[in-house]
């Protein structure tokens, strides 16, 4: 191109002028020498010298400006503001837009660059963004509405999903320049989440930071298109990346999923990984554009049923923070059978600002892939509103809990017992009524794996406030739809235990005795610690019928737990110290009387002593 500028200028000059003009080029005729401009003699014929000097300066500007504009590095050009849900307007025109910012010291050309949104993309016009300049990308039909806010980049197509999607910018050579996957969960303010307010990047010096580096705008108009963001502040990333989970999508591949964007060079360095079990690494790839998933390809497939320990270290995030040596276990998933995965806890009436969650539990020694599993609800006895848990491979390890919600950060902030590595954020959950309803777990073959029909009356009777309190399964080996197998989460555990063992869990083996009471002394005071007692039973066969009553030491009946109930081979009842009038009984000794009729019609009576106490 530079040679072309030289030839054009020389050919425009006369014979005598060619000699004068040629002195402004280097000996190899390939680049203009700006230092030789000073050699232009003031006495040369006017206006030729003035015209040539102007032309040379123009050529210099074009050459070096174009070179700089075409030199694009990752995160030089970033997306700094997103207006996905423009209505109802807080003050800005009702138009979707994406703000682009050039954080580099060079001008950046958009010519033949590509902007992608979700599964669609559009070519960008031939415009240049100067250093530290903002520009507003919008549909060309909305360009006039936004013209007052600065440089506009009109495109032929733009449709931003309100709930969130991935936005990316690619160079003409299809090199990724920037990407962000935004979510409606990035809004902290529930009212602004409804529309009319943009999401803004807090610190443009931390372009890889996603949810922790984005907030809803605070400007009264609802956004700041074309200028510095209203939430702008220092927000550096000083936290090392972490592996969230690992999966095996195919027998010879391992995917390590991180909690933030990863540096491509350290991510693909084989020396940063070690796999036991004889597995040999073939190659490593960082999945673009999200840059959060590292795919390790192996030279041979893994063996079914064998766990492989993967050790990773020195993997850096975009800010250079290094992953400390971390080990995770992966395995090829096994086929799940009904009963392998069960419902274990549900929060259907969250606190203000909270979200529902459903916890599941893998009762087996299998690694189970949850890809394309679903949750559904029950309305008027009809199962419906099915929502996929996850559309990619996700392995639930043996004997592990997993809590599903639409906002893991909210769950973590409201429940101190929650374990971040055992929370899975899903795009949608079916709706759950606050008073009664049902939750159903369905596998990809549409088999119902578990179902729980809940009611708010299953909560502890003495609870002052039920919102924000989950129902926990007492024993995951006993029937799900037995109300005696569920109880309110303990107050001492923060009223919910998402991702960890239940505070009210009782999963040990039953005693050899047909009936057992645990604990024998309990304190029904609502503190969540030993608020109830359970009466467990176990029989070698079905067909037994029982009536269970509670008497005080004077022989007066104070409550009835079961009346002529047909028994399974194993089960339980619970008594929370509440009498037939709905009042808490006095402290003291009580007798649980069990009247049993067996298959032969023979009657037996069992008595179990319990103590109702109090804490001082």
């Amino acid at each position: 191109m530079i040679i072309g500028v030289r030839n054009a200028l020389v050919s425009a000059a006369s014979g005598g002028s060619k000699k004068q003009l040629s002195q402004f080029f280097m000996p190899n005729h390939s680049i203009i020498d700006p230092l030789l401009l000073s050699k232009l003699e003031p006495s040369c014929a006017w206006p030729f010298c003035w015209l040539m000097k102007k032309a040379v300066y123009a050529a210099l500007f074009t050459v070096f400006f174009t070179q700089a504009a075409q030199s694009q590095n990752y995160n030089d050009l970033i997306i700094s503001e997103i207006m996905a849900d423009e209505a109802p307007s807080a003050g800005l025109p009702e138009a979707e837009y994406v703000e682009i910012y050039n954080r580099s010291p060079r001008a950046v050309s958009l010519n033949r660059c590509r902007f992608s949104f979700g599964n669609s993309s559009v070519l960008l016009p031939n415009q240049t963004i100067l250093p530290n300049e903002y520009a507003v990308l919008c549909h060309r039909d909305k360009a006039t509405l936004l013209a007052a806010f600065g440089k506009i980049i009109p495109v032929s197509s733009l449709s931003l999903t309100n709930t969130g999607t991935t936005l990316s910018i690619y160079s003409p050579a299809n090199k990724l320049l920037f990407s962000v996957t935004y979510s409606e969960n990035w809004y902290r303010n529930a009212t602004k989440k409804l529309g009319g307010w943009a999401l803004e990047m807090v610190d443009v010096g931390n372009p890889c930071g996603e949810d922790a580096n984005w907030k809803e705008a605070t400007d009264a108009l609802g956004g700041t298109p074309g200028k510095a963001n209203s939430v702008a502040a220092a927000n550096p990333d000083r936290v090392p990346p972490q592996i969230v989970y690992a999966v095996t999508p195919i027998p010879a591949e391992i995917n390590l999923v991180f909690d933030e964007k990863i540096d491509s060079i350290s991510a693909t360095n084989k020396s940063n990984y070690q796999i036991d079990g004889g597995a040999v690494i073939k190659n490593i790839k960082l999945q673009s554009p999200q840059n959060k998933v590292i795919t390790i390809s192996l030279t041979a497939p893994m063996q079914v049923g064998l766990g492989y320990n993967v050790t990773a270290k020195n993997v850096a995030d975009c800010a250079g923070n290094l992953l400390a040596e971390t080990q995770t276990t992966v395995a090829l998933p096994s086929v799940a059978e009904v009963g392998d995965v069960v419902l274990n806890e549900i929060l259907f009436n969250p606190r203000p600002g909270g979200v529902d969650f459903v916890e599941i539990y893998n009762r087996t020694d299998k690694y189970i892939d949850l890809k394309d599993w679903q949750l559904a609800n029950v309305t008027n006895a009809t199962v419906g509103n099915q929502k996929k848990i996850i559309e990619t491979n996700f392995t639930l390890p043996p004997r592990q809990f997993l809590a599903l919600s639409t906002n893991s950060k909210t769950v973590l902030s409201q429940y101190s017992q929650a374990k971040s590595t055992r929370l899975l954020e899903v795009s949608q959950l079916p709706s759950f009524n606050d008073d009664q309803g049902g939750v159903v777990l369905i596998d990809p073959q549409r088999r119902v794996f578990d179902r729980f029909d809940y009611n708010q009356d299953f909560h502890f009777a003495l609870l002052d406030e039920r919102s924000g309190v989950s129902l926990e399964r007492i024993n995951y080996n006993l029937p799900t739809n037995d109300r005696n197998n569920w109880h309110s989460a303990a107050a001492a555990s923060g009223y919910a235990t998402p991702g960890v063992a239940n505070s009210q869990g009782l999963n040990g083996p039953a005693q050899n005795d047909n009936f057992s009471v645990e604990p024998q002394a309990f304190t029904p005071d609502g503190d969540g610690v030993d608020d109830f007692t359970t009466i467990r039973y176990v029989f070698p066969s079905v067909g037994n019928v029982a009536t269970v009553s509670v008497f005080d030491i004077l022989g007066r009946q104070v409550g009835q737990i079961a009346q002529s109930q047909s028994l399974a081979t194993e089960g339980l009842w619970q008594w929370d110290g509440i009498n037939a009038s709905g009042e808490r009984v006095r402290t003291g000794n009580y007798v649980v009387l069990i009247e049993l009729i067996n298959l032969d019609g023979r009657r037996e009576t069992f008595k179990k002593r319990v103590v109702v106490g109090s804490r001082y």
Side-chain angles (χ1 to χ4, degrees):
M1 180 184 68
I2 300 174
I3 296 174
V5 172
R6 172 192 180 278
N7 291 340
L9 291 174
V10 172
S11 65
S14 61
S17 300
K18 287 181 182 179
K19 184 176 181 180
Q20 281 187 310
L21 183 59
S22 64
Q23 67 182 314
F24 300 112
F25 293 87
M26 292 294 222
N28 61 6
H29 302 292
S30 62
I31 187 167
I32 299 172
D33 184 355
L35 297 178
L36 297 181
L37 284 174
S38 60
K39 295 181 180 180
L40 193 63
E41 295 182 7
S43 59
C44 69
W46 191 94
F48 173 76
C49 287
W50 178 81
L51 290 172
M52 288 302 99
K53 192 170 184 179
K54 182 177 180 181
V56 169
Y57 275 124
L60 280 169
F61 178 81
T62 301
V63 168
F64 291 105
F65 183 85
T66 303
Q67 283 184 332
Q70 290 182 342
S71 177
Q72 300 157 330
N73 297 319
Y74 185 62
N75 284 343
D76 276 356
L77 199 65
I78 66 172
I79 293 170
S80 54
E81 187 171 338
I82 303 166
M83 176 66 85
D85 188 0
E86 71 278 18
S89 170
L92 291 172
E94 289 194 1
E96 293 180 338
Y97 68 81
V98 171
E99 180 185 79
I100 296 176
Y101 174 66
N102 180 4
R103 58 189 291 270
S104 78
R106 301 172 298 277
V108 174
S109 172
L110 300 180
N111 187 31
R112 295 183 294 115
C113 288
R114 182 166 54 89
F115 174 75
S116 72
F117 46 101
N119 295 322
S120 303
S121 66
V122 63
L123 287 176
L124 297 179
N126 186 11
Q127 291 188 220
T128 299
I129 302 181
L130 300 177
N132 301 315
E133 185 180 29
Y134 295 88
V136 181
L137 187 152
C138 66
H139 194 283
R140 60 191 177 194
D141 293 344
K142 304 292 184 179
T144 303
L145 294 176
L146 295 169
F149 296 94
K151 178 176 286 187
I152 301 298
I153 303 171
V155 291
S156 59
S157 176
L158 181 65
S159 180
L160 303 180
T161 307
N162 293 348
T163 55
T165 191
T166 299
L167 307 179
S168 305
I169 304 174
Y170 294 90
S171 74
N174 205 36
K175 172 187 172 184
L176 180 66
L177 300 179
F178 181 79
S179 181
V180 61
T181 302
Y182 69 93
S183 168
E184 63 178 352
N185 292 334
W186 292 2
Y187 286 90
R188 278 71 165 176
N189 184 294
T191 301
K192 293 182 178 182
K193 183 179 179 179
L194 298 176
W197 294 84
L199 285 170
E200 296 184 339
M201 183 181 285
V202 176
D203 187 353
V204 295
N206 178 22
C208 289
E210 293 202 318
D211 57 335
N213 196 41
W214 287 76
K215 294 180 181 178
E216 63 268 37
T218 57
D219 189 277
L221 292 178
T224 54
K227 64 180 182 179
N229 290 340
S230 57
V231 300
N235 186 36
D237 178 7
R238 297 191 177 97
V239 180
Q242 299 294 324
I243 298 175
V244 181
Y245 60 90
V247 295
T248 53
I250 60 176
E253 274 189 4
I254 298 171
N255 282 349
L256 300 180
V257 182
F258 285 77
D259 63 348
E260 62 175 316
K261 291 183 178 181
I262 300 301
D263 165 64
S264 60
I265 296 176
S266 63
T268 55
N269 186 344
K270 288 184 181 181
S271 65
N272 289 338
Y273 308 93
Q274 182 177 346
I275 307 173
D276 66 8
V280 178
I281 297 175
K282 181 180 179 181
N283 57 59
I284 303 174
K285 179 178 68 175
L286 181 62
Q287 293 187 15
S288 180
Q290 286 84 1
N291 288 1
K292 290 184 177 181
V293 180
I294 295 172
T295 298
I296 302 175
S297 298
L298 306 176
T299 57
M302 293 176 283
Q303 299 179 35
V304 177
L306 180 63
Y308 293 79
N309 293 321
V310 181
T311 303
K313 62 181 180 180
N314 296 330
V315 178
D317 60 17
C318 291
N321 303 301
L322 292 178
L323 170 74
E325 186 168 308
T326 302
Q327 187 176 90
T328 186
T329 302
V330 297
L332 291 178
S334 301
V335 176
E337 302 297 338
V338 173
D340 287 352
V341 182
V342 297
L343 299 167
N344 198 58
E345 184 176 359
I346 178 173
L347 177 67
F348 53 85
N349 182 10
R351 298 167 180 163
V355 293
D356 295 342
F357 74 78
V358 175
E359 182 186 80
I360 59 178
Y361 176 68
N362 180 358
R363 300 171 58 242
T364 73
D365 292 324
K366 301 175 182 177
Y367 289 84
I368 297 174
D369 190 354
L370 296 179
K371 179 182 179 182
D372 293 333
W373 284 54
Q374 297 178 333
L375 286 176
N377 63 15
V378 180
T379 305
N380 298 324
T382 302
V383 176
N385 197 20
Q386 292 94 335
K387 304 295 182 185
K388 280 190 178 182
I389 293 174
I390 190 168
E391 295 185 352
T392 57
N393 299 98
F394 184 95
T395 304
L396 182 60
R399 313 291 175 183
Q400 287 290 334
F401 304 91
L402 182 67
L404 314 168
S405 76
T406 57
N407 196 322
S408 296
K409 182 176 290 186
T410 296
V411 174
L412 284 168
S413 68
Q414 293 191 345
Y415 297 102
S416 60
Q417 298 293 312
K419 189 174 182 180
S420 61
T421 56
R422 303 317 309 162
L423 302 182
L424 178 62
E425 188 165 298
V426 299
S427 58
Q428 295 183 81
L429 280 181
S431 57
F432 299 117
N433 295 330
D434 290 348
D435 52 356
Q436 62 180 354
V439 55
V440 184
L441 180 64
I442 304 170
D443 80 341
Q445 286 71 47
R446 303 192 63 79
R447 295 180 297 173
V448 174
F449 260 57
D450 208 1
R451 171 173 170 169
F452 175 45
D453 296 310
Y454 65 84
N455 191 297
Q456 62 179 351
D457 293 337
F458 294 179
H459 277 297
F460 182 48
L462 298 182
L463 271 178
D464 294 328
E465 179 59 59
R466 294 172 175 173
S467 65
V469 182
S470 73
L471 280 177
E472 293 182 331
R473 188 172 184 152
I474 297 172
N475 191 318
Y476 42 69
N477 295 314
L478 297 181
T480 306
N481 253 336
D482 180 355
R483 67 165 296 171
N484 287 300
N485 200 21
W486 294 82
H487 198 276
S488 305
S493 296
Y495 293 111
T497 54
V500 297
N502 289 345
S503 61
Q504 308 290 16
L506 183 65
N507 296 292
Q511 298 179 15
N512 293 330
D513 192 358
N514 290 129
F515 298 96
S516 60
V517 175
E518 185 180 347
Q520 289 188 327
F522 68 105
T523 54
D525 52 13
D527 67 353
V529 179
D530 293 337
D531 277 335
F532 63 97
T533 188
T534 60
I535 302 98
R536 298 182 66 180
Y537 63 84
V538 57
F539 293 97
S541 61
V542 297
N544 297 290
V545 177
T547 296
V548 184
S549 307
V550 182
F551 294 85
D552 64 16
I553 57 174
L554 297 179
R556 296 173 296 190
Q557 184 174 340
V558 297
Q560 188 163 71
I561 298 174
Q563 176 68 45
S564 300
Q565 179 180 329
S566 296
L567 305 185
T569 56
E570 187 176 358
L572 58 78
W573 301 284
Q574 57 173 280
W575 183 49
D576 53 13
I578 305 300
N579 63 23
S581 301
E583 301 170 334
R584 186 169 60 187
V585 301
R586 296 181 178 181
T587 59
N589 294 298
Y590 291 83
V591 174
V592 177
L593 178 67
I594 305 157
E595 300 172 276
L596 184 71
I597 304 176
N598 62 24
L599 280 171
D600 300 327
R602 189 176 74 251
R603 294 176 180 269
E604 294 183 84
T605 299
F606 301 84
K607 293 181 181 180
K608 296 293 179 180
R609 176 173 171 268
V610 295
V611 178
V612 177
S614 63
R615 299 182 190 276
Y616 297 97

